Amino acid sequence: MGKPTRAQVVLLIINVSLINDWRAKSKSHQNATAKLPFGFVQLAPDLNQTIHSGWPDLRWWQTGGYGYVPNPSLPDVFMSVAMDLPDLLSHYGSNHPRYMYDIAERLALAGRAVAYGEQGLDFQGPFPTRITTGGSGVIIEYDNGNKPIAVRVNHGFEAEI
C-alpha cells in the first residue's frame, strides 16, 4: 500500500483508539480485561463506481493497515469479511448487504476462534491466493480454489490497482 497518507493515519488512530477506549470502559464492568475481544464487520462494496470512493482504503485501515485481524496493532480483534458480498440494490444502502446470514456466520466463527480460542476453525478470508492475467481479463483465485464461491451478482466488486 505504500506510505500512508495523513487521512489514513487518522483512520488508523481512530480505529485503534475506538477499540482501546471501548476496552478501557468495559474493564470496569464484570471483570473485563484490557484484551476484551472486539468484533466488527468489514465495509461492503459501494454502489458509486464513477469516482474513487475510498472504500478499499477504509477497509485496509479498519484492520490497522494489515488487511486482516487479529494483528499486532489490533490483538484480540476479529472481523467478518464483507467485500465479496455486494448487494448494490439493498434498500439499506449499498454498504449494508441484506445477506446477513453469511456475515453473521463469518463473525460468529471469528469470535469463536479469537474470543474463545477454538482451534481448527477457518474464520479468516476469503483471501486471494493467486492472480493471473489473460487476454480477456483477470482471474483471482481465493483460498487456493478449495472452496466454491457463490456469485450473486456480476457487478460491484471493488479493486484498487
Side-chain angles (χ1 to χ4, degrees), residues 22-34 36-37:
W22 179 78
R23 286 175 171 163
K25 287 178 178 168
S26 298
K27 205 169 152 177
S28 62
H29 302 287
Q30 303 174 348
N31 301 324
T33 69
L36 194 63

Side-chain angles (χ1 to χ4, degrees), residues 60-81:
W60 180 255
W61 295 109
Q62 274 186 300
T63 64
Y66 283 82
Y68 60 89
V69 289
N71 62 53
S73 290
L74 298 169
D76 302 305
V77 174
F78 55 96
M79 79 171 172
S80 174
V81 172

